[in-house]
Amino acid sequence: MSEPSSQPPTAQSIDELTRSAAAELNTLENLEAVDRWRVSYLGRRGSLTTVLRGLSSLNIEDRRTIGAAANQAKNTLEDQLERRIHRINEEALQRSASQDRLDVTLPGRPPGKGRLHPTTKIVREICNVFVAMGFGVVEGPEVEWDHYNFEMLNIPKGHPARDMWNTLWVDYEDPAGENAMLLRTHTSPMQARIMESREPPIRVVVPGKCYRYEATDATHEWHFYQVEGLAVGEGITFADLKGTLYEFARRMFGEERRIRFRCDYFPFVEPGVDMSIDCFACQGDGDGCRICRDSGWIEIMGAGMIHPKVLEGVGYDTDKYTGFAFGLGPERIAMLKYGIDDIRHFYANDLRFLRQF
Ligand code: PHE
């Protein structure tokens, strides 16, 4: 630390003073020492202040040049002082961070709020409607045996009906050298699994993921969900099927919905139908409607009375028991309800889409 000099200041003495002050500053490790340094150089009676005062003893010429140098020296030291303080603070922060202490100066990170996937929401909504009507909810395996996915559903090996389900086979051969394992192409295998494991009366819905060996487009995905429905008991008729599914349509799509059944073919039901609802966008009008493509009707599921062969297959007495089954696609229902135009949005993981639900 230089003593205030009583000599008139020169450019050289100012330069020396600045250098030694700066060098000293750089060795200081804490804010208290830095403040003592500030007082001793820049304070009211500090060395540099004294120099500035000494300017008055100089002639006008020198006063101008040396005065400018002294002012610059003051600015330089003030700058360095500020930087030193900043540096000491930074280092203190880093030390406390590395000691795992809480850095209260960091703004908190807002927790990202999650939400349910639109498929999850609609699956729950569908299941809730059936639960309210007395159905239970069961789930089953996504990797399935040929036996349940096809055989037990009255779709024998080599039967052309197998072409209705483009199948992803698992690379596994049974002792007979057959591909016996697959990714389930629908939730219907659970019909047989459930009936095998319990006695009527049965009322269940089965939500779950299905897979198909399929080129994707706006209405086809290679994986998607289904909700299967199954009701078995004494004296169940097609009227029960209609009543149940009509109620479902009204609860899902609105009180004033009408429904339509047309013949359709699925090997495990007889008779088999597809069920449509009248279009909620155009109220069944049809003309120029984008949602129902001018028809006034929207197909929402396949259904039918369980084929006697399926009941026999699980050992049920077909004189005593009858039942109905249905299968619907939640993504398709969500697309209709929310006006989504491409099924590929569901699993593209684009938050701009997912955040809308
Ligand atoms: N499992 C059928 C499908 O995927 C749908 C269906 C289920 C049809 C139950 C009738 C009864 O196409």
Side-chain angles (χ1 to χ4, degrees):
M1 199 182 288
S2 321
E3 283 303 310
S5 87
S6 45
Q7 305 289 315
T10 62
Q12 199 192 344
S13 70
I14 291 173
D15 190 48
E16 271 166 18
L17 178 63
T18 315
R19 278 170 202 273
S20 67
E24 189 186 329
L25 178 63
N26 274 332
T27 65
L28 305 178
E29 297 291 348
N30 62 65
L31 294 177
E32 293 75 28
V34 167
D35 199 54
R36 281 196 297 276
W37 177 94
R38 184 187 61 76
V39 171
S40 81
Y41 288 100
L42 301 169
R44 249 159 34 88
R45 299 198 299 147
S47 347
L48 194 64
T49 318
T50 311
V51 167
L52 284 165
R53 251 187 238 125
L55 288 171
S56 57
S57 63
L58 297 173
N59 63 41
I60 300 232
E61 190 86 342
D62 287 347
R63 207 186 292 170
R64 190 174 297 143
T65 52
I66 303 201
N71 268 324
Q72 217 205 321
K74 186 171 177 240
N75 289 340
T76 306
L77 289 182
E78 279 172 353
D79 256 14
Q80 298 203 355
L81 170 68
E82 215 166 285
R83 258 184 270 157
R84 190 71 203 163
I85 291 173
H86 183 72
R87 173 94 186 262
I88 290 173
N89 283 333
E90 281 288 272
E91 282 173 0
L93 261 182
Q94 253 159 37
R95 265 197 310 279
S96 73
S98 69
Q99 284 164 12
D100 223 12
R101 269 195 270 133
L102 185 62
D103 174 6
V104 290
T105 67
L106 257 190
R109 274 184 222 112
K113 249 193 248 160
R115 64 213 322 113
L116 293 177
H117 190 278
T119 306
T120 308
K121 281 194 177 167
I122 211 88
V123 164
R124 288 190 185 175
E125 213 178 307
I126 292 166
C127 289
N128 286 343
V129 169
F130 286 107
V131 165
M133 291 194 271
F135 284 71
V137 181
V138 196
E139 288 180 284
E142 291 174 26
V143 181
E144 188 50 284
W145 298 108
D146 176 303
H147 177 75
Y148 288 108
N149 197 85
F150 291 128
E151 297 286 329
M152 294 293 278
L153 293 172
N154 193 29
I155 316 169
K157 279 197 179 55
H159 194 283
R162 288 203 172 196
D163 294 349
M164 292 169 70
W165 295 273
N166 297 327
T167 307
L168 284 158
W169 294 94
V170 173
D171 196 5
Y172 159 85
E173 284 178 8
D174 66 8
E178 303 266 5
N179 272 338
M181 209 189 270
L182 47 78
L183 299 185
R184 69 176 174 196
T185 58
H186 49 181
T187 42
S188 300
M190 281 303 285
Q191 290 185 25
R193 283 182 178 274
I194 290 163
M195 290 191 281
E196 266 181 356
S197 68
R198 33 175 127 167
E199 286 295 310
I202 293 172
R203 276 125 184 75
V204 288
V205 284
V206 186
K209 214 165 179 181
C210 308
Y211 303 82
R212 302 237 177 126
Y213 181 59
E214 198 127 46
T216 58
D217 63 25
T219 54
H220 294 86
E221 255 291 9
W222 66 275
H223 63 152
F224 51 89
Y225 277 74
Q226 283 193 345
V227 177
E228 190 83 10
L230 180 70
V232 196
E234 284 182 60
I236 292 185
T237 70
F238 198 87
D240 297 306
L241 179 159
K242 280 173 95 171
T244 307
L245 297 183
Y246 182 37
E247 190 55 26
F248 165 74
R250 283 160 33 103
R251 293 197 191 185
M252 209 61 198
F253 293 101
E255 286 288 306
E256 63 294 352
R257 286 289 64 78
R258 292 180 297 146
I259 53 172
R260 178 189 73 177
F261 290 98
R262 289 187 306 180
C263 285
D264 201 351
Y265 170 66
F266 303 96
F268 36 92
V269 288
E270 183 59 39
V273 292
D274 80 52
M275 185 180 107
S276 303
I277 54 174
D278 64 331
C279 178
F280 47 83
C282 64
Q283 305 301 326
D285 205 31
D287 272 350
C289 180
R290 243 190 73 226
I291 301 286
C292 63
R293 296 212 194 82
D294 294 318
S295 77
W297 294 96
I298 301 169
E299 285 174 31
I300 60 164
M301 69 173 107
M305 300 304 293
I306 300 169
H307 197 290
K309 280 230 173 128
V310 175
L311 295 173
E312 274 164 24
V314 295
Y316 283 1
D317 179 351
T318 50
D319 289 331
K320 194 167 168 199
Y321 295 126
T322 52
F324 65 83
F326 54 89
L328 51 90
E331 289 93 348
R332 184 165 159 70
I333 305 254
M335 287 169 83
L336 292 168
K337 263 194 109 149
Y338 302 127
I340 299 162
D341 57 7
D342 194 320
I343 195 172
R344 289 169 293 192
H345 286 315
F346 284 92
Y347 307 111
N349 287 336
D350 186 335
L351 286 177
R352 289 168 302 176
F353 171 77
L354 298 172
R355 284 201 178 115
Q356 295 178 54
F357 301 95

